[in-house]
């Protein structure tokens, strides 16, 4: 198989020494349950670990096990997010064991992702099986990254604060179709210059992390679980907002004067009619119209999104439109075009919001001058 093309990118053979070096970003004391030379090849495929920014670490793997064995290492404190889009894996964080992936030996976990908090150092273990394949995205969010982002300190995130304080807190999470699409995109070969590819990876990882962390609190003690009807409403709302953020629909609707947008977000524009959407039958993009389309009322809808996502409906829409503007820049569009896609009339406001989210200015992203990654995901 040497020299063949892997679905995730160019392939290589990974040795035991490569595994030890890769684990250095995540912890220490990588060990094997058997003895063999450090240059023994144990994986074939894509296998990369990189720090997208301090405290946000991506591990991407499209690999086939060449050996049956067990490995372990001591992980540093962090929130761990794992999603498989194909194959299977068998791993543990502390005493929590996960058999994930569409081909998992545990049918109950085939559609699940892993979301675990390590408030202190603890053991990670992986059980290998010769011939088994996996396509996996793993995210590591350190306590410093979460604190810097203001997530654990925000008043709307009491459940997340409790989750981050509890060692080996485990949150049930079933990744959405959008999350799986993001993971597949993360595992695609690079199609941009290294700096731009890093920005694209980071944008996708941030959206994936946002979905996973939004699940925290749904099953925490003292927090009522979302009803199935509310879950369906959130899925339909998410579909609508992604469609509204596309180029086919107009800029975002008005927000009442008594509810000004958060700092850094664009000033709202007047609500305008939108094309009929068969799945949602919406005559206009307004709170009343959205609420009617998903079978609830504006007050209940705002409460639901605050509880599930930690933001309002239109805050979520602004974020999605900013992500589309980010894609415009990475695809060669101008800063003015990106600002228009995001709904900003003032370039300075757009630049402020963009830098807050992506860590560089729109002009830096457009010209490829963003900081280079620590390592490259092929």
């Amino acid at each position: 198989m040497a020299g063949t093309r892997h679905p995730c990118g160019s392939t290589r053979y990974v040795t035991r020494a490569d595994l030890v070096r890769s684990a250095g970003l995540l912890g220490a004391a990588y060990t094997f349950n058997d003895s063999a030379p450090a240059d023994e090849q144990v994986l074939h495929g894509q296998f990369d670990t990189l720090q997208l920014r301090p405290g946000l670490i991506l591990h991407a793997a499209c690999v086939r096990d060449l050996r049956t064995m067990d490995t372990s290492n001591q992980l540093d404190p962090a929130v761990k997010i794992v999603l498989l889009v194909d194959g299977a894996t068998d791993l543990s964080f502390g005493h929590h064991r996960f058999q994930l992936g569409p081909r998992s030996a545990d049918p109950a976990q085939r559609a699940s992702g892993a979301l675990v908090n390590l408030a202190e150092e603890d053991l990670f273990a992986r059980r290998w099986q010769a011939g088994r394949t996996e396509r996996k995205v793993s995210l590591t969010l350190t306590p410093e990254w979460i604190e810097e982002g203001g997530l654990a300190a925000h008043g709307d995130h009491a459940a997340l604060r409790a989750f981050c304080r509890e060692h080996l807190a485990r949150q049930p999470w079933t990744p959405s179709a959008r999350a799986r699409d993001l993971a597949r995109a993360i595992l695609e070969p690079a199609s941009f210059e290294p700096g731009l590819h890093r920005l694209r990876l980071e944008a996708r990882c941030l959206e994936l992390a946002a979905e996973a962390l939004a699940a925290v609190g749904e099953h925490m003690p003292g927090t009522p679980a979302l009803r199935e009807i509310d879950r369906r409403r959130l899925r339909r709302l998410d579909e609508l907002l992604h469609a509204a953020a596309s180029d086919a629909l107009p800029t975002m609707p008005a927000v009442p004067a008594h509810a000004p947008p958060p700092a850094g977000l664009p000033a709202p524009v007047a609500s305008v009619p939108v094309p009929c959407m068969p799945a949602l039958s919406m005559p206009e993009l307004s709170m009343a119209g959205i609420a009617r389309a998903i079978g609830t009322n504006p007050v209940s809808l705002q409460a639901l999104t605050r509880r599930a996502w930690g933001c309002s409906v239109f805050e979520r829409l602004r974020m999605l439109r900013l992500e589309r503007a980010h894609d415009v820049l990475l695809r060669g569009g101008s800063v003015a075009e990106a600002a228009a896609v995001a709904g900003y009339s003032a370039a300075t406001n757009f630049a402020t919001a963009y830098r807050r989210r992506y860590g560089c200015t729109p002009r830096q992203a457009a010209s490829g001058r963003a900081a280079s990654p620590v390592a490259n995901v092929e």
Side-chain angles (χ1 to χ4, degrees), residues 27-323:
Y30 197 99
T31 61
F32 303 83
N33 73 331
D34 58 4
S35 299
D39 61 355
E40 182 192 31
Q41 297 171 342
V42 292
L43 287 173
H44 183 250
Q46 176 207 15
F47 184 89
D48 294 283
T49 303
L50 70 153
Q51 185 168 250
L52 295 172
R53 65 173 56 232
L56 175 59
I57 301 169
L58 166 66
H59 174 67
C62 295
V63 294
R64 177 170 60 89
D65 290 356
L66 302 181
R67 289 287 311 269
T68 296
M69 62 179 178
D70 293 342
T71 58
S72 63
N73 63 304
Q74 197 77 7
L75 294 182
D76 296 329
V79 172
K80 298 290 183 176
I81 301 170
V82 183
L83 190 160
L84 261 75
V85 296
D86 198 11
T89 195
D90 187 347
L91 49 85
S92 298
F93 296 100
H95 61 265
H96 293 311
R97 182 176 181 179
F98 298 89
Q99 294 177 284
L100 306 175
R103 303 180 188 180
S104 168
D106 183 357
Q109 295 192 59
R110 287 174 182 168
S112 299
L115 178 53
V116 179
N117 178 60
L118 304 181
E120 57 193 57
E121 291 184 1
D122 212 324
L123 195 68
F124 170 81
R126 183 176 185 267
R127 286 160 284 277
W128 299 52
Q129 182 178 322
R132 186 178 63 196
T133 61
E134 68 177 44
R135 298 183 67 204
K136 177 179 70 180
V137 169
S138 299
L139 298 180
T140 295
L141 314 177
T142 68
E144 293 77 16
W145 185 87
I146 291 174
E147 181 178 358
E148 183 178 344
L151 297 177
H154 197 286
D156 288 338
H157 298 299
L160 181 57
R161 291 200 304 274
F163 180 80
C164 292
R165 285 196 297 265
E166 181 183 347
H167 183 53
L168 291 178
R170 174 180 178 177
Q171 174 65 40
W173 175 47
T174 301
S176 67
R178 171 63 179 168
R180 295 183 187 281
D181 287 344
L182 286 168
R184 293 186 185 95
I186 290 168
L187 296 171
E188 288 175 355
S191 56
F192 298 92
E193 293 299 319
L196 295 181
H197 184 55
R198 173 197 173 279
L199 285 175
R200 196 168 184 83
L201 282 174
E202 184 174 350
R204 289 164 172 166
C205 289
L206 287 172
E207 185 174 351
L208 184 59
E211 174 177 313
L213 294 178
V216 174
E218 292 183 6
H219 303 285
M220 294 288 285
T223 304
L226 287 176
R227 299 175 301 168
E228 181 57 33
I229 189 172
D230 288 333
R231 293 177 185 276
R232 289 198 300 269
R233 286 168 176 161
L234 285 170
R235 285 194 293 268
R236 296 178 69 194
L237 176 60
D238 199 49
E239 292 171 3
L240 168 64
L241 295 181
H242 274 90
S246 72
D247 293 339
L249 294 179
T251 54
M252 72 187 58
V255 176
H258 62 273
L265 293 176
V269 300
S271 179
V272 294
V274 301
C276 179
M277 301 180 63
L280 292 167
S281 302
M282 286 192 58
E284 66 175 25
L285 193 61
S286 65
M287 273 304 301
I290 294 172
R292 282 195 303 270
I294 68 171
T296 186
N297 60 72
V299 174
S300 297
L301 177 58
Q302 288 285 38
L304 177 60
T305 58
R306 285 284 184 189
R307 176 183 169 200
W309 296 342
C311 65
S312 72
V313 172
F314 292 125
E315 286 169 1
R316 170 68 170 163
L317 179 55
R318 291 186 183 96
M319 181 188 73
L320 294 175
R321 291 183 70 85
L322 194 60
E323 289 171 358

